[in-house]
Amino acid sequence: MPEQPYVIDPAGADLHTEADRLRERGPVALVELPGGIRAWAPTRHAVLKQLLADDRVSKDPEQHWPEWIDGRYRETWVSLWVGVTNMFTAYGADHRRLRRLVSPAFTKRRTDALRPRIEEIAARLLDRMAEVPEGRVDLRSAYAHPLPMEVICELFGLPEDRRADTARLIEANMDTTITPEQAMATYREVHELLAGLVASKRERPGDDMTTALIAARDEEGSQLSETELIDTLLLVIGAGHETTVNLIGNAVHALLSHPDQLARVLAAEIPWSEVIEETLRWAPSIANLPLRYAVEDIKLPDGALIPRGDAILATYAAAGRDPLLHGETAGRFDVTRADKEHLAFGHGVHYCVGAPLARLEASIALPALFARFPDLRFDESAGPARLAESFIGHGHRVLPVRLG
């Protein structure tokens, strides 16, 4: 294994070529993230799956990342990801406690109950798109983004006058090219915004999950701190829409790039669920997720060693296209693929609680879009689709299309 780490491109300009190069370095590769942070990147599906479910791997930097404990990196981009106190960074009993508070928002019953409202939002957005002169739109801003954003904001009672700022701050959070000063400014602003939401809900409670979390926080004897409350809102509102934005956008881009497969889907030869799962495998909404930490030395089956206290980067994009699992065609988008196994929603105790909602939203948004605009195609006159600048998020910042 090379001693020099592979330097990750902060802008994520070519995530999959980067993953291919990392695979050449073995089942885990030492990488350098922005700011000089070193971490181990699993390059194989089986290795990542093992580490995601391993009790010897923690997500709590306060307990298990010596460099963080020593005060390094606390005013850099990584603070937006690991410097929070919620179930995303919790370990063991703390994680179970915090997850129990959020899980009721994403039960199958509650998720299924959202179907009519999601269908209504999708129809309204499609009506609005149909009125655009010449039928040229940015699919992300017109459809892929506002649909899941509106759903999650209604679920957590975020008022309309706070939604634009929330969306802006979540996008800034995903941008891994920002300066340390910008990262800290984003951190402060998003916490001020959510603290304001909490204050307003305390004054005027509603039938929403923010009010439910506040009730749990204010309950006598509750173990939920005010910081945990605000950071939990940041997690569920941010992850609850941004990943679905990318799922919808990536699926549309993949289908328009493979018109023969799109034709079979529109002819009902292939169900939309197959499109969704292949998109999650081939272009997961989160390419790389920071960070986890080795609680003790971890020796992998091939003999590689991740030393105690070292950071680990969850490499979902690399795992999704692993030739050891998906063969020589791993890098090819193919909705007819028999095995679409992926880790796009994680694995183990940190498996994404919002996965059913993301799948439901995509299963409504995609067929509705193509039923309304069956001649949808790229708008080449507006230039190519542009990816977001992030090695974490894997989606389009701009996706120009013509409605036909």
Side-chain angles (χ1 to χ4, degrees):
M1 184 178 298
E3 292 184 5
Q4 289 300 312
Y6 183 97
V7 179
I8 296 293
D9 175 13
D14 197 349
L15 291 164
H16 295 292
T17 297
E18 200 165 63
D20 290 340
R21 291 172 180 164
L22 290 176
R23 277 191 209 96
E24 296 171 359
R25 296 185 166 216
V28 290
L30 186 63
V31 298
E32 183 176 307
L33 307 180
I37 298 170
R38 293 192 175 192
W40 294 97
T43 66
R44 299 298 184 185
H45 177 279
V47 176
L48 177 59
K49 187 173 184 179
Q50 173 194 331
L51 292 172
L52 292 176
D54 198 320
D55 289 340
R56 298 170 298 172
V57 177
S58 168
K59 293 195 75 175
D60 187 348
E62 300 289 351
Q63 292 189 65
H64 301 119
W65 192 20
E67 291 173 280
W68 180 265
I69 295 168
D70 289 344
R72 298 184 63 184
Y73 313 128
R74 287 182 178 264
E75 294 192 358
T76 70
W77 67 272
V78 81
S79 289
L80 298 171
W81 293 92
V82 309
V84 291
T85 310
N86 54 35
M87 66 181 183
F88 182 79
T89 57
Y91 178 67
D94 275 340
H95 174 260
R96 291 189 291 273
R97 171 177 61 86
L98 292 167
R99 189 178 177 100
R100 278 196 298 268
L101 293 170
V102 175
S103 296
F106 299 100
T107 61
K108 186 178 187 305
R109 180 187 62 80
R110 184 148 193 164
T111 298
D112 289 345
L114 292 172
R115 175 179 288 276
R117 180 57 181 149
I118 297 170
E119 292 173 340
E120 181 182 327
I121 294 169
R124 173 165 46 78
L125 293 172
L126 293 171
D127 286 344
R128 187 183 302 167
M129 289 165 60
E131 297 172 356
V132 175
E134 300 184 4
R136 290 186 168 97
V137 299
D138 167 24
L139 190 78
R140 183 187 190 277
S141 61
Y143 191 64
H145 184 274
L147 189 153
M149 181 66 178
E150 190 163 342
V151 172
I152 201 69
C153 287
E154 290 185 0
L155 188 60
F156 282 84
L158 191 71
E160 289 193 20
D161 61 357
R162 297 177 193 263
R163 294 180 187 180
D165 280 339
T166 302
R168 173 179 57 81
L169 291 167
I170 296 300
E171 287 185 14
N173 197 58
M174 299 294 291
D175 186 347
T176 47
T177 67
I178 60 176
T179 66
E181 292 76 19
Q182 290 171 319
M184 289 299 95
T186 298
Y187 182 91
R188 289 189 295 271
E189 190 175 355
V190 73
H191 278 76
E192 288 172 5
L193 185 147
L194 292 175
L197 171 64
V198 168
S200 67
K201 287 295 177 180
R202 278 201 171 103
E203 291 180 7
R204 295 179 296 279
D207 181 19
D208 54 66
M209 282 305 301
T210 298
T211 299
L213 286 171
I214 291 169
R217 160 73 182 102
D218 294 345
E219 188 178 293
E220 186 175 353
S222 170
Q223 292 179 291
L224 183 66
S225 71
E226 193 76 1
T227 298
E228 287 174 333
L229 168 61
I230 292 171
D231 284 349
T232 294
L233 289 172
L234 171 60
L235 172 63
V236 292
I237 293 173
H241 86 276
E242 187 68 24
T243 51
T244 310
V245 173
N246 291 346
L247 171 56
I248 295 170
N250 290 345
V252 171
H253 189 274
L255 289 172
L256 295 185
S257 301
H258 299 81
D260 55 331
Q261 297 187 50
L262 173 59
R264 296 186 64 184
V265 174
L266 295 183
E269 294 177 24
I270 299 167
W272 284 100
S273 59
E274 298 297 303
V275 174
I276 291 168
E277 296 310 309
E278 179 64 352
T279 301
L280 289 166
R281 181 200 72 82
W282 187 71
S285 300
I286 298 294
N288 303 290
L289 190 61
L291 283 171
R292 287 168 162 81
Y293 321 96
V295 175
E296 58 186 74
D297 289 353
I298 300 174
K299 191 171 184 179
L300 299 174
D302 75 314
L305 178 72
I306 300 177
R308 176 179 180 272
D310 278 13
I312 300 168
L313 182 70
T315 47
Y316 299 118
R321 298 192 185 188
D322 182 5
L324 289 185
L325 178 63
H326 295 295
E328 295 180 356
T329 65
R332 186 183 308 163
F333 179 80
D334 181 3
V335 294
T336 68
R337 184 184 304 278
D339 181 6
K340 299 180 178 67
E341 183 179 351
H342 61 79
L343 298 168
F345 290 119
H347 179 65
V349 297
H350 282 277
Y351 184 82
C352 177
V353 295
L357 178 58
R359 285 188 168 105
L360 176 63
E361 289 174 325
S363 73
I364 293 170
L366 293 169
L369 172 67
F370 283 96
R372 185 67 174 271
F373 305 113
D375 297 323
L376 188 76
R377 60 191 185 276
F378 290 126
D379 183 4
E380 297 179 358
S381 67
R386 180 162 55 85
L387 291 170
E389 292 189 317
S390 178
F391 73 87
I392 298 176
H394 183 15
H396 296 87
R397 181 61 61 224
V398 179
L399 183 51
V401 297
R402 295 195 66 174
L403 304 178

